[in-house]
Amino acid sequence: MFDAIRGAILDHRLAPGTKLREVSLAELFGVSRAVVRSVLARLGHAHLVELRPHRGAAVATPSLEESRQVFEARRAVEEALVAKVARSAEARDVARLREWVASEQAAYARGDERDGVRRSVDFHRRLAALAGNAVLARYLDELVSRTPLIALAHRGSAPAPCGCEDHLALVDAIAARDESRAAALMRAHIGHLEAALNLRPRTPPQSLAEVFGRAPAGR
Amino acid sequence: MFDAIRGAILDHRLAPGTKLREVSLAELFGVSRAVVRSVLARLGHAHLVELRPHRGAAVATPSLEESRQVFEARRAVEEALVAKVARSAEARDVARLREWVASEQAAYARGDERDGVRRSVDFHRRLAALAGNAVLARYLDELVSRTPLIALAHRGSAPAPCGCEDHLALVDAIAARDESRAAALMRAHIGHLEAALNLRPRTPPQSLAEVFGRAPAGR
DNA sequence: CCAGATCATCTTGTCAACAATGTGGATATG
DNA sequence: CATATCCACATTGTTGACAAGATGATCTGG
């Protein structure tokens, strides 16, 4: 059930802000409200739903500031992870990573963008797994899980797929055991992701005059 | 109630491995089992208690590998945090940090080690708060919360207080806006913490022969 | 005397009902 | 006519009891 709701949010089948009423979910999944409550608590802790006391649960709508902080956290975590992988990865691991990037490219090449994006995200997870640090890997998992929600809430126009070229370059740096280059590439890659999401304020101090297209004195 | 149990674990009043039975806690705090269950779930997510299905909750006993991963994660997170603080901190913030370190030193000087350790930990939290990234700050909070448990489970001999000199040097680097020096100092500082905990395997493949002081053929 | 299986007991997981709180609409009033 | 208040409804938070699973002792057989 947790995975079902999580998947629905990640696949953009549940829009941000959608209220998640306990009774509806309970009868929908054929379970009691208690377990629904438990699942919602877990989703809340993963920041996929927002829980406000006495006011129910809703699919999270990450603010711009929050989104930027998530990307900044990704930079910190993934730089450390990729550096460690570059330090310790074996040839077989590198080969598997390369295969995976190829499968990404294949997915995009045949036009299956959904599968491509999923594989691109999984690339980051696999990289994290190779680092052999469960703590950082879990943080990364949480952060990448929040990313689709951010994309939906603040995307400009493009669907923003993970650039495969970046991934390929990363694998090359890892294969060359070039720790610092790998970290720099990762930093750049996450910068690309963030830029592709058009994460600038959508007109942040969005004045009312601008919205209604008239001067404040007008009336 | 969450804070009560959390505090008890952090203050070493609840030893690792202690079983936390739901009914006991329920009648102890005068609440229902449902809320106990919710609290335990939260503690489990914070990795302060270990939750095994149908087998109850117990105060977590972090393994050596896990402990090392926590410190590695702290390096990644805190380096990023301190670098950002060095980039953006204002003079007033730096002054307050300096005051805080002074209060640490005062606590140690008057022999109040418990208060000193608490203030030392809080130094890291305050630093995190100054960085202005709620995501990373929360990760840091989780990581430092796990540290006392690690200390209790694997400490060598010393109680391992946070070295105030390290903190002072960090503040100096921040004041000088020297991002890379601050990061390096932080890395070193966490290294000191880890070393002080004597986190090497306590004799990890601890052979039985070693334990009983006789050769395996002996009998 | 020891090993394995059985059963009582305890603990956790789940459920349905009760109480408390927030929400929206209808009503009264300046 | 706009605003503030009150009330009914809906939703969440909490409680107690029931069912499923695990733990440990007892009992039987070798």
Side-chain angles (χ1 to χ4, degrees):
Chain A
M1 173 169 183
F2 177 84
D3 288 332
I5 301 181
R6 174 187 155 110
I9 295 176
L10 267 50
D11 289 351
H12 294 182
R13 297 185 42 157
L14 275 172
T18 306
K19 293 203 68 173
L20 300 173
R21 268 169 265 276
E22 297 182 357
V23 282
S24 316
L25 291 171
E27 53 194 31
L28 191 61
F29 283 88
V31 292
S32 172
R33 265 185 53 216
V35 36
V36 173
R37 177 171 275 279
S38 155
V39 168
L40 287 178
R42 283 175 60 193
L43 288 166
H45 201 102
H47 291 267
L48 292 179
V49 310
E50 201 170 345
L51 297 169
R52 284 176 308 179
H54 288 285
R55 300 184 69 187
V59 178
T61 62
S63 71
L64 249 139
E65 185 53 31
E66 203 179 329
S67 308
R68 227 175 272 133
Q69 292 179 2
V70 167
F71 276 103
E72 191 171 51
R74 277 192 68 168
R75 266 188 282 271
V77 171
E78 298 213 61
E79 269 185 51
L81 284 171
V82 80
K84 195 180 178 199
V85 171
R87 232 176 295 138
S88 68
E90 297 176 16
R92 196 163 66 187
D93 301 328
V94 175
R96 283 195 185 146
L97 274 182
R98 217 181 281 278
E99 281 174 31
W100 191 256
V101 175
S103 84
E104 283 180 55
Q105 289 177 313
Y108 285 119
R110 72 168 180 271
D112 191 346
E113 187 165 298
R114 191 179 209 100
D115 191 44
V117 170
R118 186 167 300 174
R119 284 176 188 276
S120 295
V121 170
D122 256 25
F123 171 80
H124 289 262
R125 291 213 180 89
R126 282 167 182 252
L127 204 62
L130 280 182
N133 185 318
V135 178
L136 284 174
R138 200 163 41 75
Y139 287 161
L140 174 85
D141 192 59
E142 182 187 311
L143 292 171
V144 299
S145 292
R146 290 172 77 172
T147 305
L149 212 48
I150 291 171
L152 192 53
H154 300 108
R155 74 151 152 240
S157 51
C162 239
C164 293
E165 319 79 35
D166 285 3
H167 288 183
L168 209 57
L170 272 167
V171 176
D172 286 337
I174 291 167
R177 308 243 172 215
D178 191 337
E179 195 178 325
S180 61
R181 183 156 62 98
L185 283 170
M186 180 57 89
R187 167 171 291 267
H189 175 49
I190 295 178
H192 296 160
L193 282 179
E194 194 174 0
L197 282 185
N198 200 16
L199 214 56
R200 282 138 198 74
R202 273 206 277 207
T203 47
Q206 199 175 29
S207 79
L208 288 174
E210 230 176 346
V211 172
F212 297 107
R214 43 167 51 175
R219 185 62 197 248
Chain B
M1 172 170 183
F2 177 85
D3 287 332
I5 300 180
R6 175 187 154 110
I9 295 176
L10 266 51
D11 289 350
H12 294 182
R13 299 185 42 157
L14 276 171
T18 306
K19 292 204 70 175
L20 301 172
R21 269 170 264 277
E22 297 182 357
V23 282
S24 316
L25 292 172
E27 54 193 30
L28 191 60
F29 284 88
V31 293
S32 172
R33 265 186 54 217
V35 35
V36 174
R37 177 170 276 277
S38 156
V39 168
L40 287 178
R42 284 175 59 193
L43 288 166
H45 200 101
H47 291 266
L48 293 179
V49 310
E50 201 169 345
L51 298 169
R52 285 178 306 179
H54 288 285
R55 300 184 68 188
V59 178
T61 62
S63 71
L64 248 138
E65 184 53 31
E66 202 179 331
S67 308
R68 226 175 273 133
Q69 291 178 2
V70 166
F71 276 103
E72 191 170 52
R74 278 191 68 167
R75 266 187 281 271
V77 171
E78 297 212 62
E79 270 185 51
L81 284 171
V82 80
K84 196 182 177 198
V85 170
R87 232 177 295 139
S88 67
E90 297 175 16
R92 197 164 65 186
D93 300 329
V94 174
R96 284 194 185 146
L97 274 182
R98 219 181 280 277
E99 282 174 31
W100 192 256
V101 175
S103 84
E104 284 180 55
Q105 290 177 311
Y108 286 118
R110 72 169 179 270
D112 192 346
E113 188 165 298
R114 190 179 210 100
D115 191 44
V117 169
R118 185 167 299 174
R119 283 175 188 277
S120 295
V121 170
D122 256 25
F123 171 80
H124 289 261
R125 290 214 181 88
R126 282 166 183 253
L127 204 61
L130 281 182
N133 185 319
V135 178
L136 283 174
R138 190 176 12 252
Y139 288 162
L140 174 85
D141 192 60
E142 182 186 312
L143 293 171
V144 299
S145 293
R146 291 172 76 172
T147 304
L149 213 46
I150 292 170
L152 192 54
H154 300 108
R155 72 151 154 239
S157 51
C162 237
C164 293
E165 318 78 36
D166 285 2
H167 288 183
L168 209 57
L170 272 168
V171 175
D172 286 337
I174 291 168
R177 308 243 172 215
D178 191 337
E179 194 178 326
S180 60
R181 182 156 64 97
L185 282 170
M186 179 58 88
R187 166 171 293 267
H189 175 49
I190 295 178
H192 296 161
L193 282 178
E194 194 174 0
L197 283 185
N198 199 17
L199 214 57
R200 281 138 200 74
R202 270 206 281 207
T203 46
Q206 200 174 30
S207 79
L208 288 173
E210 229 175 345
V211 173
F212 296 107
R214 43 168 50 176
R219 184 60 199 249

